Amino acid sequence: MKFGLRLRGGLLATLIMFGAPVVAPVGAVFVPSSALAQTVQSISVEGNRRVEVETIRSYFKPGPGGRLDQGAIDDGLKALIETGLFQDVRINRGAGGQIVVSVVENPVIGRIAFEGNKKIKDEQLTTEVQSKARGTFSRAMVQSDTLRIAEIYRRSGRYDVRVTPEVIEQPNNRVDLIFTVEEGAKTGVKSIEFVGNNAFSSYRLRDVIKTRESNLLSFLASGDIYDPDRVEADRDLIRRFYLKNGYADVQVVAALTEYDPEKKGFNVTFKIEEGSQYRVGALDFRSSIPNFDPTTLRAYSRVNVGSLYNVESVEKSVEEMQIEASRRGYAFAVVRPGGDRNFEAHTVSVVFNIDEGPRTYIERINLRGNTRTRDYVIRREFDISEGDAYNRALVDRAERRLKNLDYFKSVKITTEPGSSSDRVVLIVDMEEKSTGDFSISGGYSTTDGALAEVSVSERNLLGRGLFAKASVTYGQYARGYSLSFVEPYLLDYRVALGLDLYQRQQLSNSYISYGTKTLGFSPRLGFSLREDLSLQLRYSVYQQEITLPSYLANCNNDPLSAAFNPSPAFSAATGIPLAGSTNGLGCYSDGEASLPVRKELANGKTLTSALGYTLTYNTLDNNKNPSDGLLVDFRQDFAGVGGDVSYLKSVIDAKYYTPLVSDIVGLVRLQSGMLNKIGSDLRMLDHFQMGSNLVRGFAPNGIGPRDLNPFGTQDALGGTKYWGASLELQMPFWFLPKEVGLKGAVYADAGGLYDYKGPTSWTATNEVNVPGCIPSTINPSSTGTCTGLVYDDSKVIRSSVGVGLIWQSPFGPLRFDYAVPLSKGKYDRTQEFRFGGGTSF
């Protein structure tokens, strides 16, 4: 490091500033013994401009009798130097042996500036350096600030940074301090290697760690930037991953990093000693607490005999059992797990020991670092309070909850001794982070076409832990807006209240002839029953209407109407077709929407009022990119709490992921739904509409009952029952870097949609009293034309096989599918290629 000088003013002053050592100078004149009888008030001070004489004298502490001895003078000299206020301090003897303290004050910093910094703003650097404008200039502090700025740049991946401090002398003993920064190029991680891994491939382990290799798209993320703290944290992630999969003896011996000057980046190598894989051989519960039956805690254990040894399951079991013991009145009970390895059988005998812990109470809970978040938002995550028995399991749970809030960069709870031996103080250290988001998103799918969305959200509104979001969507076939608000602690209970207001507009496209407009409001309550089980209760009220171009609804099919105008032409008087007549054919020449669609249009706006709930069971290892676990959603909605329609709709969707071999993940998906009529007739819009969302290879709304009117739009009518089953294998492309995020998939789908129960005619009369009219017909041998609905509702199993490309891109998740139907209904519509995805920018 070097100092550069721009001399403006006296050269001698500058030389003194940087030439004088910041220690007691060699050759300083110290007070002889004959002058030691002086008092503090007799000290003479020279050279001071800003620092008061009395302030300088105060650093000299007299001995007994108020007299200064040699030790007091030496201590005063050292204390003055250590203040950092002076460039030089000397003690001399004046006339008559008087003590004279001569000082040269450090200059005052007029301003601090940064030059050359583009990647890090001035505001951030200003908060990081210790030197401040209008503060005292200190050479040692400037050196420290220079190192600090360089360290900030290294943390952002720029290891070639050069920082040079420059001092510009100004009048009146003032200086300007300028830090010139040469940022250099970003230093990334060029390769990540693993040594000693036999059970898991390097490809799989790269998915466990946070550090990423540099690639063409690295500029969109920061995971490839070399960060020694992140590499060290990756060691623990690898270790935890092995411990979760039965490797109780695993050790991540080292994380070696080496800078490669040719690649201008770091090579990172993790050395692993796996050991053997263990299973749980036996499970036992023991207690040293009188009258406490340890076997009653067996129901709270997540460890099972015969299963792989999983340290996370052990830790969760300890937490659940210790909390349950506390609920039963054993506030100081401590659950300690133990394990005996059988090296020959590769098993671990797990023992949970329940003992009486020390009787310690929580004296205080001190919060530090929450500059924005209110105290009560943090304290409500604790199941314990001041004065309660200290319970480490509850403290760990509180720390995990605070981290899951995603309000803070870091959360750490530590303990300090209290006012007595049986008291502890909990210290909660936090660092706030930005919780607001503004995003502009874009996407495209074969169903909705091009789509754009602008949204603003805040996860910690006003520091009160509230969530709010507003979004506007505009696309080719889908438009609308939504407003959402969530209070996670309703009336201070662990119950989330959500409010949603939305408006959606679906335009007609190549898959449906009609458009819909929906305006709705939905309050909801969310409960966490267990860590893997949640319940949501909701009420939904929405108004819906259909829109149609006029030329698709200009035929009158009501025989009782004077404007009766079907095709082919009928005599309104006799109901007999008129031979050779072309009356009525004109209204069908440009197409006509299906009867249920036009009936929805005639009914106008319809109000739906429904109560519902969703029960979710989730054991996925990763919600965004799962490889193991089960996700089950069961939903029911009852419409008829007021409004114009009534029904009971039930849906279940289950996904099971399991790792197979060589990083291949298997996915089994089962889904089913049923719509039951209650009271009034069902609308077509209330039916299930299925296509590629059930069996890939089919068009949207391409499966199930369909209108067969050859002169009409032959709209999909939907069904009241459906089922689906899928088997999928997802595999990485081993020849591509993990960081690219590409995976392949092969799959087979099967399913069916059937049992249409919507409107089939305008009135009962036109099916009974009109001679020559074919009534409403299901699965006809040949299509016909009638005032009633002629439609197909065959219970055919649809099936397909296909391949897919899944890309977890920096632009957002993208998926491409190509599927070929193996079996289909006579009137189904197919779509072999499908694409969907979106991005935020």
Side-chain angles (χ1 to χ4, degrees):
M1 179 178 61
K2 64 180 182 179
F3 281 89
L5 297 179
R6 299 178 187 174
L7 298 180
R8 298 180 186 175
L11 176 62
L12 180 59
T14 303
L15 292 176
I16 291 174
M17 184 182 303
F18 290 96
V22 193
V23 294
V26 177
V29 179
F30 291 97
V31 181
S33 59
S34 60
L36 294 181
Q38 298 188 54
T39 64
V40 172
Q41 295 302 320
S42 65
I43 295 177
S44 176
V45 179
E46 295 178 350
N48 60 310
R49 296 184 179 182
R50 299 184 311 276
V51 183
E52 297 290 338
V53 171
E54 291 303 323
T55 301
I56 295 175
R57 288 174 175 170
S58 66
Y59 286 92
F60 295 89
K61 308 298 182 182
R67 301 296 181 175
L68 293 173
D69 56 19
Q70 186 64 54
I73 294 174
D74 291 343
D75 292 341
L77 175 63
K78 294 177 182 178
L80 285 173
I81 293 173
E82 290 173 355
T83 62
L85 298 174
F86 308 102
Q87 294 181 40
D88 187 20
V89 181
R90 293 174 181 267
I91 298 179
N92 301 307
R93 185 180 63 180
Q98 183 184 23
I99 298 176
V100 179
V101 180
S102 300
V103 297
V104 178
E105 293 181 348
N106 273 323
V108 174
I109 301 174
R111 69 183 181 96
I112 297 178
F114 304 91
E115 295 181 355
N117 55 311
K118 297 178 181 179
K119 302 301 181 181
I120 300 179
K121 296 181 179 180
D122 288 1
E123 292 78 7
Q124 181 179 349
L125 294 177
T126 301
T127 59
E128 294 289 346
V129 297
Q130 292 179 299
S131 299
K132 303 297 181 184
R134 295 183 297 279
T136 302
F137 174 83
S138 168
R139 183 180 181 185
M141 189 179 296
V142 171
Q143 291 175 339
S144 175
D145 290 338
T146 302
L147 296 176
R148 177 59 181 161
I149 294 172
E151 180 63 20
I152 293 171
Y153 271 93
R154 291 190 182 100
R155 291 296 179 186
S156 64
R158 298 183 182 275
Y159 275 76
D160 291 333
V161 64
R162 298 290 183 271
V163 182
T164 304
E166 300 181 71
V167 177
I168 303 175
E169 185 176 327
Q170 301 291 357
N172 300 321
N173 200 29
R174 290 180 175 270
V175 295
D176 290 343
L177 179 58
I178 299 177
F179 293 95
T180 301
V181 182
E182 298 176 22
E183 295 182 321
K186 184 176 71 173
T187 310
V189 176
K190 298 303 180 181
S191 70
I192 301 174
E193 302 296 336
F194 299 87
V195 177
N197 56 310
N198 299 313
F200 300 100
S201 68
S202 297
Y203 192 95
R204 178 70 183 92
L205 293 179
R206 287 191 184 97
D207 198 35
V208 174
I209 62 178
K210 300 296 184 183
T211 303
R212 296 286 181 260
E213 292 182 355
S214 299
N215 57 70
L216 293 176
L217 300 176
S218 293
F219 67 95
L220 296 171
S222 61
D224 70 311
I225 297 173
Y226 175 69
D227 185 341
D229 290 341
R230 180 161 52 200
V231 172
E232 191 62 28
D234 286 339
R235 289 183 62 185
D236 188 60
L237 289 176
I238 296 171
R239 175 178 167 275
R240 298 282 299 180
F241 175 75
Y242 271 92
L243 289 174
K244 190 174 72 170
N245 287 277
Y247 292 86
D249 298 326
V250 66
Q251 292 185 38
V252 183
V253 179
L256 306 177
T257 58
E258 182 182 6
Y259 182 77
D260 189 333
E262 294 184 0
K263 297 181 180 180
K264 294 184 178 180
F266 284 89
N267 299 324
V268 180
T269 303
F270 294 96
K271 297 184 67 175
I272 304 170
E273 294 181 1
E274 293 181 330
S276 300
Q277 190 179 44
Y278 292 84
R279 291 187 175 273
V280 179
L283 184 62
D284 193 13
F285 301 84
R286 301 172 186 172
S287 173
S288 62
I289 302 176
N291 303 321
F292 186 91
D293 184 3
T295 60
T296 58
L297 297 180
R298 184 180 293 272
Y300 298 91
S301 171
R302 302 192 181 191
V303 180
N304 299 308
V305 176
S307 63
L308 282 176
Y309 176 77
N310 186 335
V311 70
E312 288 189 2
S313 297
V314 173
E315 291 172 351
K316 290 179 180 178
S317 299
V318 168
E319 180 179 299
E320 294 292 335
M321 287 189 283
Q322 191 161 322
I323 292 172
E324 177 59 23
S326 179
R327 289 172 181 162
R328 296 181 185 181
Y330 299 90
F332 301 100
V334 177
V335 181
R336 296 184 176 93
D340 294 326
R341 295 177 178 84
N342 185 325
F343 298 101
E344 295 180 357
H346 300 301
T347 60
V348 177
S349 297
V350 179
V351 179
F352 292 103
N353 297 293
I354 301 94
D355 302 316
E356 186 77 22
R359 291 184 172 272
T360 307
Y361 298 88
I362 298 174
E363 183 173 331
R364 292 191 314 277
I365 300 177
N366 293 341
L367 309 181
R368 300 192 304 208
N370 56 316
T371 55
R372 181 168 176 265
T373 305
R374 308 292 179 92
D375 282 5
Y376 72 86
V377 174
I378 299 167
R379 293 182 183 275
R380 69 190 182 188
E381 299 299 330
F382 286 80
D383 290 330
I384 51 177
S385 58
E386 294 164 344
D388 289 348
Y390 174 74
N391 188 316
R392 187 66 218 179
L394 292 176
V395 173
D396 291 340
R397 172 181 283 189
E399 182 173 327
R400 186 171 64 251
R401 286 174 176 173
L402 288 173
K403 290 178 179 178
N404 291 338
L405 290 177
D406 201 24
Y407 300 162
F408 310 102
K409 290 182 181 179
S410 62
V411 178
K412 184 66 176 177
I413 301 180
T414 57
T415 61
E416 292 183 356
S419 58
S420 60
S421 59
D422 63 344
R423 297 288 188 272
V424 295
V425 178
L426 295 184
I427 307 297
V428 186
D429 287 302
M430 299 153 287
E431 183 181 358
E432 299 264 12
K433 72 177 182 179
S434 174
T435 54
D437 292 305
F438 172 78
S439 68
I440 303 175
S441 306
Y444 179 84
S445 74
T446 48
T447 304
D448 298 324
L451 194 70
E453 179 184 85
V454 178
S455 66
V456 179
S457 65
E458 172 57 63
R459 300 191 305 276
N460 188 13
L461 185 64
L462 303 176
R464 299 175 181 272
L466 306 174
F467 173 84
K469 181 178 180 180
S471 65
V472 177
T473 303
Y474 191 88
Q476 281 181 278
Y477 307 120
R479 298 165 188 174
Y481 65 84
S482 66
L483 300 173
S484 298
F485 173 83
V486 177
E487 164 57 83
Y489 277 80
L490 180 63
L491 301 177
D492 291 330
Y493 289 98
R494 201 176 294 277
V495 177
L497 169 66
L499 303 174
D500 299 300
L501 176 66
Y502 57 90
Q503 189 271 336
R504 303 191 191 105
Q505 183 179 8
Q506 180 70 46
L507 305 181
S508 60
N509 52 52
S510 57
Y511 305 110
I512 54 174
S513 64
Y514 55 91
T516 59
K517 290 183 180 179
T518 306
L519 176 64
F521 173 71
S522 177
R524 48 193 164 85
L525 295 175
F527 306 84
S528 180
L529 305 180
R530 286 188 339 203
E531 191 171 344
D532 55 4
L533 188 65
S534 61
L535 173 67
Q536 183 191 91
L537 306 178
R538 62 181 170 272
Y539 170 71
S540 302
V541 56
Y542 57 90
Q543 180 180 274
Q544 195 171 38
E545 64 176 319
I546 273 185
T547 59
L548 267 177
S550 58
Y551 66 88
L552 292 182
N554 58 1
C555 293
N556 191 316
N557 292 78
D558 188 351
L560 303 182
S561 170
F564 179 53
N565 184 27
S567 176
F570 280 74
S571 166
T574 64
I576 299 175
L578 302 176
S581 172
T582 59
N583 179 37
L585 289 177
C587 74
Y588 276 92
S589 62
D590 55 0
E592 189 75 0
S594 299
L595 183 150
V597 176
R598 288 179 286 129
K599 193 162 187 178
E600 293 283 355
L601 181 67
N603 291 337
K605 298 178 180 179
T606 303
L607 183 68
T608 300
S609 176
L611 289 172
Y613 70 91
T614 299
L615 191 63
T616 302
Y617 177 74
N618 186 349
T619 63
L620 297 182
D621 60 343
N622 187 316
N623 287 330
K624 291 184 178 180
N625 188 23
S627 61
D628 191 13
L630 177 65
L631 175 63
V632 181
D633 275 331
F634 179 70
R635 304 190 303 274
Q636 279 194 310
D637 289 280
F638 169 71
V641 189
D644 303 318
V645 298
S646 58
Y647 59 77
L648 177 63
K649 183 178 287 188
S650 306
V651 173
I652 187 170
D653 187 357
K655 298 177 182 178
Y656 176 67
Y657 295 84
T658 183
L660 301 176
V661 294
S662 300
D663 302 316
I664 297 176
V665 176
L667 166 62
V668 178
R669 182 180 184 184
L670 302 175
Q671 50 183 323
S672 179
M674 179 177 293
L675 177 67
N676 297 100
K677 174 183 175 181
I678 299 177
S680 60
D681 293 335
L682 294 173
R683 301 186 307 156
M684 181 203 70
L685 291 179
D686 296 329
H687 285 60
F688 298 110
Q689 295 285 357
M690 293 292 168
S692 55
N693 56 333
L694 187 68
V695 181
R696 284 163 284 195
F698 290 84
N701 297 359
I703 292 176
R706 184 173 299 277
D707 176 23
L708 300 181
N709 183 355
F711 300 101
T713 54
Q714 297 188 334
D715 292 294
L717 305 177
T720 59
K721 300 181 180 68
Y722 77 89
W723 66 273
S726 298
L727 177 63
E728 179 170 308
L729 299 178
Q730 298 178 357
M731 63 208 71
F733 294 109
W734 293 275
F735 55 87
L736 292 177
K738 178 75 174 181
E739 289 69 26
V740 175
L742 278 174
K743 291 192 298 184
V746 295
Y747 52 82
D749 295 342
L753 173 68
Y754 50 89
D755 203 7
Y756 171 74
K757 292 185 178 179
T760 56
S761 63
W762 286 92
T763 64
T765 307
N766 65 1
E767 291 195 22
V768 178
N769 299 329
V770 181
C773 178
I774 304 174
S776 174
T777 309
I778 304 176
N779 306 328
S781 56
S782 61
T783 59
T785 303
C786 185
T787 57
L789 178 67
V790 180
Y791 64 102
D792 173 69
D793 195 359
S794 54
K795 294 179 176 59
V796 177
I797 296 178
R798 283 81 172 178
S799 62
S800 68
V801 294
V803 295
L805 181 64
I806 306 168
W807 186 21
Q808 295 293 335
S809 75
F811 309 103
L814 304 174
R815 175 151 184 158
F816 307 82
D817 282 298
Y818 181 79
V820 178
L822 300 180
S823 60
K824 60 180 182 177
K826 183 178 180 180
Y827 304 101
D828 288 344
R829 298 181 180 179
T830 61
Q831 182 190 72
E832 295 181 346
F833 177 76
R834 183 170 179 252
F835 162 74
T839 183
S840 295
F841 46 87

